[in-house]
Amino acid sequence: DKANMATTLSVLAVCLISQHKIEEAQSLLRRAKALSSHSDNHTIKAVVLARLSLTLQLGNVNLEEVNMLMQESVQESQLIVNQQRKAEVLMTIGEVRNIRGQHEMGENILTSALKLQRQHLPAKHGDTALTLCRCGESLFLQGKHSEALVMFNEANEIQKVKFNSSHPERGRTLLGMGRSLWKVDEWQEGETAMREAARILLQTVPLHTRTTQALHLLASCLIEKGNCEEAERFLKECLELNSQVVPRDDKSRANTMQLLETCYAKQRKLANGVTRLTEALDVRQHANPDNKEELAKDCMLDFSQLQLDDILKAEQEVQVAHHITGIWSKVASFLSPEFFSMNKIIDIQQRFPQQLFNQARCMMQEWHMQFDSNATCGKMIKALCAAGQRSVASQVFGASLVNLAVPFDR
């Protein structure tokens, strides 16, 4: 009958969600919703509505509809007699709240689901492990790392018995456990958990954002330990998968590129690192075309990773200097010169050919013209004079007199 067909479609949708095939899952769940709408089976109605709200939230589609679906699902769940299925609905709704950033609300709903499962299910039931994992994620996102670790540990103990050793839900739990262990300074145990999470997720759901997240986090741990060669391999694999999982202008790609730049810098592959950082800035610029303030902050974070002093010491010659001036040109239209250290620009002039410094100086002039700041220009000229660069200071001063919309005050 229609209720059974809706159940089958809903279960198949869960399989697709676990593989991050969100649009396909949405399509099946909309069919299931239509089939179950005329049924008096409150359980299947509530389950389908909750799962559909999850797929819409994951796809960031029609968030007003998500609210409506969650409300309908909760109403239907109050009529469910089977407490196991009622807990399942609450777990899904709690997960949606977590994704929306409503972590405290998500924790409360998930705690209610967990209470029902502990009362009505056998000890160490697989469904309980799923809710424990999501409770751990909610606690972690609120900064309650020790409490989250307790949840992840209990979930993992159940899953080791009830789930296949390579089940993607085990990978999800181990990912949360690894992150929590690092937050409480258990680095070695955290690395072990994260390695196992990455192995499972790569094997079962390679094209999932959770998989790329595991690779990124594992690489960051390895960089901290000085194991940059292995970290580089994980980051390259992360970027390759990322290109198939998220849009090209997704911020997570820029973050991984930036981490790879750090990895290159620590291995003294400085030219590679600056190239990767330039790509990261491209991604950030496409991701935030209108939000100049946020983009400026992102760029400052990237500049802090440049390790410009190391680049200068390594004397990487013209190629690196060219990349640096290229980065400046990308951000010249919205990044104030006050963000940048004048002394480092002067260092570049001393190390590299004059024409490259000329590019940097022209960009500084562009910055000044964008912001119409007499005070900024004055600081530039003073810094140049103090460094013995009077001829350059004179050029900046002359260009400012010609181009400033507002004249210098006396």
Side-chain angles (χ1 to χ4, degrees):
D1 63 5
K2 291 183 178 181
N4 285 338
M5 178 63 75
T7 301
T8 302
L9 291 170
S10 178
V11 172
L12 180 56
V14 171
C15 298
L16 292 169
I17 292 168
S18 70
Q19 299 172 69
H20 207 62
K21 297 178 179 178
I22 305 303
E23 291 184 3
E24 295 175 52
Q26 278 177 24
S27 176
L28 292 182
L29 287 165
R30 288 200 183 279
R31 288 171 57 193
K33 178 175 178 288
L35 287 167
S36 63
S37 61
H38 302 295
S39 170
D40 58 359
N41 189 324
H42 300 292
T43 299
I44 186 58
K45 279 184 178 180
V47 169
V48 168
L49 289 166
R51 288 175 180 171
L52 181 55
S53 72
L54 176 61
T55 60
L56 291 172
Q57 184 65 51
L58 288 169
N60 202 29
V61 177
N62 199 344
L63 300 185
E64 289 185 7
E65 185 181 1
V66 174
N67 287 331
M68 182 186 69
L69 290 169
M70 284 195 293
Q71 290 172 4
E72 291 179 15
S73 180
V74 170
Q75 289 170 3
E76 292 289 343
S77 70
Q78 292 171 354
L79 303 172
I80 297 176
V81 176
N82 186 322
Q83 297 302 299
Q84 178 180 357
R85 302 307 299 276
K86 185 173 184 177
E88 180 186 339
V89 172
L90 291 175
M91 182 194 74
T92 305
I93 297 297
E95 184 172 6
V96 175
R97 294 295 182 187
N98 274 346
I99 297 170
R100 303 194 90 171
Q102 300 166 333
H103 307 310
E104 189 174 346
M105 189 182 297
E107 179 193 349
N108 292 335
I109 295 170
L110 289 164
T111 300
S112 298
L114 190 59
K115 184 178 180 180
L116 286 175
Q117 289 169 331
R118 292 194 192 281
Q119 289 175 348
H120 298 282
L121 296 180
K124 298 185 181 301
H125 193 280
D127 285 0
T128 307
L130 299 181
T131 305
L132 284 164
C133 175
R134 285 147 182 81
C135 272
E137 290 171 345
S138 182
L139 290 164
F140 182 90
L141 291 167
Q142 295 176 74
K144 302 175 183 178
H145 303 128
S146 297
E147 295 175 54
L149 185 56
V150 171
M151 295 288 183
F152 288 126
N153 279 330
E154 187 179 351
N156 185 48
E157 289 303 311
I158 296 172
Q159 289 173 344
K160 283 194 292 188
V161 176
K162 297 292 184 180
F163 288 16
N164 182 287
S165 61
S166 294
H167 195 289
E169 283 291 342
R170 279 209 70 214
R172 180 174 182 169
T173 298
L174 288 166
L175 173 61
M177 184 188 297
R179 296 171 71 190
S180 301
L181 283 164
W182 287 341
K183 288 293 184 180
V184 297
D185 294 326
E186 299 288 346
W187 288 95
Q188 188 56 52
E189 293 85 348
E191 181 187 339
T192 301
M194 193 63 75
R195 282 184 181 276
E196 183 64 5
R199 181 194 69 78
I200 292 171
L201 294 170
L202 276 170
Q203 180 180 334
T204 56
V205 283
L207 299 181
H208 197 294
T209 53
R210 196 171 292 120
T211 306
T212 56
Q213 182 185 28
L215 290 170
H216 181 102
L217 290 169
L218 178 56
S220 67
C221 174
L222 293 171
I223 290 172
E224 286 292 324
K225 292 179 62 177
N227 190 353
C228 292
E229 188 172 339
E230 188 177 14
E232 180 184 340
R233 179 170 60 81
F234 282 128
L235 287 169
K236 286 179 176 177
E237 187 168 15
C238 180
L239 281 175
E240 184 178 346
L241 293 174
N242 228 332
S243 65
Q244 303 173 65
V245 174
V246 299
R248 184 167 181 78
D249 60 357
D250 191 272
K251 195 172 179 179
S252 65
R253 282 181 57 77
N255 292 338
T256 301
M257 289 173 178
Q258 180 182 310
L259 188 60
L260 183 55
E261 182 279 324
T262 301
C263 185
Y264 282 138
K266 287 183 179 293
Q267 296 178 85
R268 314 303 299 165
K269 299 177 180 178
L270 299 173
N272 295 26
V274 178
T275 302
R276 187 61 69 181
L277 189 54
T278 308
E279 294 173 2
L281 282 173
D282 280 335
V283 172
R284 292 191 193 284
Q285 198 163 3
H286 283 96
N288 295 288
D290 300 318
N291 192 336
K292 303 301 185 187
E293 183 178 350
E294 182 180 346
L295 189 51
K297 289 178 182 177
D298 286 339
C299 287
M300 281 308 299
L301 179 62
D302 286 340
F303 280 131
S304 71
Q305 297 291 324
L306 261 176
Q307 304 187 36
L308 191 54
D309 292 334
D310 285 341
I311 291 173
L312 293 170
K313 289 174 187 173
E315 297 192 27
Q316 290 285 305
E317 300 172 355
V318 176
Q319 183 183 4
V320 171
H322 182 69
H323 279 304
I324 294 170
T325 52
I327 290 173
W328 289 338
S329 69
K330 292 179 186 301
V331 299
S333 62
F334 57 84
L335 194 61
S336 165
E338 293 175 336
F339 280 119
F340 222 123
S341 165
M342 193 67 213
N343 291 332
K344 286 187 176 180
I345 296 174
I346 292 168
D347 283 344
I348 288 179
Q349 188 222 13
Q350 293 170 347
R351 291 275 185 175
F352 298 109
Q354 178 67 35
Q355 65 268 27
L356 292 173
F357 181 70
N358 287 342
Q359 291 179 35
R361 189 183 66 243
C362 291
M363 289 164 204
M364 287 189 293
Q365 291 168 9
E366 288 177 24
W367 286 336
H368 181 55
M369 289 155 57
Q370 289 278 342
F371 283 83
D372 291 336
S373 167
N374 295 340
T376 298
C377 190
K379 288 178 183 178
M380 276 183 183
I381 294 168
K382 286 181 180 179
L384 286 163
C385 289
Q389 303 290 333
R390 291 180 176 275
S391 62
V392 178
S394 177
Q395 292 177 54
V396 173
F397 178 73
S400 300
L401 286 176
V402 172
N403 294 310
L404 267 180
V406 181
F408 280 99
D409 62 38
R410 294 172 193 269

